Amino acid sequence: MYYVGVDIGGMSIKVGLVTIDGKILKSDAIPTQQDAGFESMVARTADLIRSIAKDCNVAESELGGIGIGIPGTVNSKEGIVSSAVNIGWFNAPIVEEMSKHFNIPVKAGNDANVAALGEQKFGSAKGLDHVVMITIGTGIGSGIIIDGKIYEGNGGAAAESGHQIIILDGELCNCGRCGCWERYASATALIQQTKSAMQANADSLMHNITKERGKVDGRTAFLASDAGDEAGKKVVNQYLRYLSAGLLNLAYVLHPQAFVIGGGVSHEGDNIMKPLQKFVDNSLDTSGMHPYIKVIQAVLGNNAGIIGAAAMVM
Amino acid sequence: MYYVGVDIGGMSIKVGLVTIDGKILKSDAIPTQQDAGFESMVARTADLIRSIAKDCNVAESELGGIGIGIPGTVNSKEGIVSSAVNIGWFNAPIVEEMSKHFNIPVKAGNDANVAALGEQKFGSAKGLDHVVMITIGTGIGSGIIIDGKIYEGNGGAAAESGHQIIILDGELCNCGRCGCWERYASATALIQQTKSAMQANADSLMHNITKERGKVDGRTAFLASDAGDEAGKKVVNQYLRYLSAGLLNLAYVLHPQAFVIGGGVSHEGDNIMKPLQKFVDNSLDTSGMHPYIKVIQAVLGNNAGIIGAAAMVM
């Protein structure tokens, strides 16, 4: 039996055929083309699923189900996308619509939740039941796995941890509130913090690094810090404090077995994981909260979406 | 069948005999006397259970189980109290110890979690599956109920939401970190905020109210605010903003069906519930997070501990 994982994004819809042990047999993508509308997007996705299955010589009867990850609020019990701004879906009956094309189980979930499931079933957190994944990108996404299952709260609206407030009355966030975690600890925030440190420190190595690499990005301060630059070190240390503040809030509320860190910034590897682990250990030690929580780098990268989506129907 | 609820506190151990529909048939209390040690405390509790059952003409064969709420970190799967500072228990095998006295099911849980279960099964949140209870007292306690069951995280250490940070680098908390929610939104914090507003406003009604009532407490600012005092209103409004900040963080992470608010400050009733409901509605509206979350006043008061403990073994 094979399982279909669909990862719907603002730019492209990715589809993969996944084995029971979480390997992608074949994957492909089409442009999202949201202007064509909901039904057309689903129909084109269904065509891609059939074409990939055919390429792999897999019959429809050998497909165990279709899992779909969506960038928005998904009520998975009802099979309805309540709201997915980036692809223009509101109250979209995704499970019903996809079921018009296939006579196999279909499930849908929020993309960050689905990625967390992928890492928990087949990635860096394999073997753990209780995991919180944080994806650091333009914003901060998060997914919560409890007892090996996605936790989505009432109506699918949970796990929006990027918008927990870490500094009341702090900087204005896109969500309209002030002081949200992602306003301080997303890759976007890191780049802003790097830029203002560069303005304040004309002799920082960060300027040379930017010239070499063509732009300021999430690596700039880390590279400077590695090379001994004081201004770069300050940016990195302050950024890690912001990142750990939100992580610790999640530790106090959820106390999972592990935090899985994904997204672009996570590629810094031990430069991030080690200090974060130290922040978490030290804080939980002070509070007498045992056992400690592991901080782990995500390993599935962009495939987490497809693999996690497929895992929903295994 | 009847169920025993035990509520262990730093000062007293309360025991109640509870019916299947959550009514306390009879309850009584003994001093905690932690100096006598763990085994003696459990033995004296067992004696009290027997005495109450006898008074109610209930035979041991009619007891369905014993649930025990404990002020500390409890690993309920293992039946062990990892740490309960106020009563001096560390790695205490409470379930094993109580089972020496009775041949019926015994379960143990953290007291805030147990109170949340009480409110969810028999109190203000009856009929809801997914509830977070916040108890506002000396600190802020919290209990999380998911699918009608206590959620305690890995090793029983979850739901310590009072120590989520809402102001990074804010005021020093007892836990050793800075900016914790309870440092701003506990009853203790409210009293401090009231006192400093009184120092700054010599003509505030809060002074007269304090004279009448003998001391500054959690009601002082609310009473002044009700009577139109501007300084009192400011204290209340700022306090409610602190309270709602942590509540909203929990909304973004957990998105339960309801928040149940308990503890002394909750007796202000609509003075607190209505503005908190408004903060929650407005914030979730901005973020497109539906459905909204109800804010409900707890109704079981001090009995929540006994009733919730009994509910664990029903």
Side-chain angles (χ1 to χ4, degrees), chain A residues 130 151 154 157-160 164-166 168-169 175 177 241 248-249 252-255 257 283 286 289, chain B residues 130 151 154 157-160 163-166 168-169 175 177 241 248-249 252-255 257 283 286 289:
Chain A
H130 187 185
Y151 170 78
N154 187 24
E160 293 292 341
Q164 55 171 324
I165 283 177
I166 62 161
L168 188 67
D169 300 326
C175 76
R177 298 168 71 214
R241 289 193 67 236
L248 283 166
N249 282 2
Y252 278 87
V253 176
L254 292 167
H255 211 100
Q257 293 165 299
S283 170
T286 309
M289 288 172 86
Chain B
H130 187 186
Y151 170 79
N154 188 23
E160 293 291 342
H163 295 287
Q164 54 172 325
I165 283 176
I166 61 162
L168 190 66
D169 300 328
C175 77
R177 297 166 74 214
R241 288 192 68 235
L248 284 166
N249 282 3
Y252 278 87
V253 175
L254 292 168
H255 212 99
Q257 292 166 298
S283 170
T286 311
M289 287 173 85

Side-chain angles (χ1 to χ4, degrees), chain A residues 174-177, chain B residues 252 281-289 292:
Chain A
N174 290 334
C175 76
R177 298 168 71 214
Chain B
Y252 278 87
D281 288 353
N282 288 349
S283 170
L284 299 188
D285 187 31
T286 311
S287 332
M289 287 173 85
Y292 296 162

Side-chain angles (χ1 to χ4, degrees), chain A residues 2-8 13-18 45 49 63-70 94-95 98 102 104-110 114 117 150 304-314:
Chain A
Y2 300 91
Y3 304 86
V4 178
V6 179
D7 180 9
I8 301 187
I13 297 173
K14 294 177 213 149
V15 171
L17 199 60
V18 180
T45 305
I49 293 172
L63 294 179
I66 301 170
I68 309 172
I70 290 148
I94 176 68
V95 167
M98 185 59 87
F102 293 95
I104 55 177
V106 178
K107 280 193 184 170
N110 165 273
V114 159
L117 187 68
I150 289 174
I306 288 176
I307 296 172
M312 282 197 292
V313 289
M314 284 180 185

Side-chain angles (χ1 to χ4, degrees), chain B residues 222 239-240 243 265 268-277:
Chain B
F222 280 96
Y239 173 72
L240 289 173
L243 197 51
V265 173
E268 294 299 328
D270 279 354
N271 275 342
I272 285 205
M273 303 310 149
K274 282 193 176 171
L276 285 184
Q277 183 74 67

Side-chain angles (χ1 to χ4, degrees), chain A residues 13 16 22 32 44 59 75 82 101 125 143 166 177 210 220 230 235 262 275 299 305 314:
Chain A
I13 297 173
T32 303
R44 287 165 52 242
N75 185 331
S82 314
H101 300 274
I166 62 161
R177 298 168 71 214
T210 302
T220 312
E230 285 304 318
V235 172
V299 296
M314 284 180 185

Side-chain angles (χ1 to χ4, degrees), chain B residues 3 9 14 18 82 101 143-144 162 167 181 188 192 202 220 249 281 287 292 300-301 306:
Chain B
Y3 303 86
K14 292 178 216 147
V18 180
S82 313
H101 300 275
I144 301 170
I167 303 182
W181 188 27
T188 316
Q192 284 180 356
T220 311
N249 282 3
D281 288 353
S287 332
Y292 296 162
L300 299 180
I306 288 176

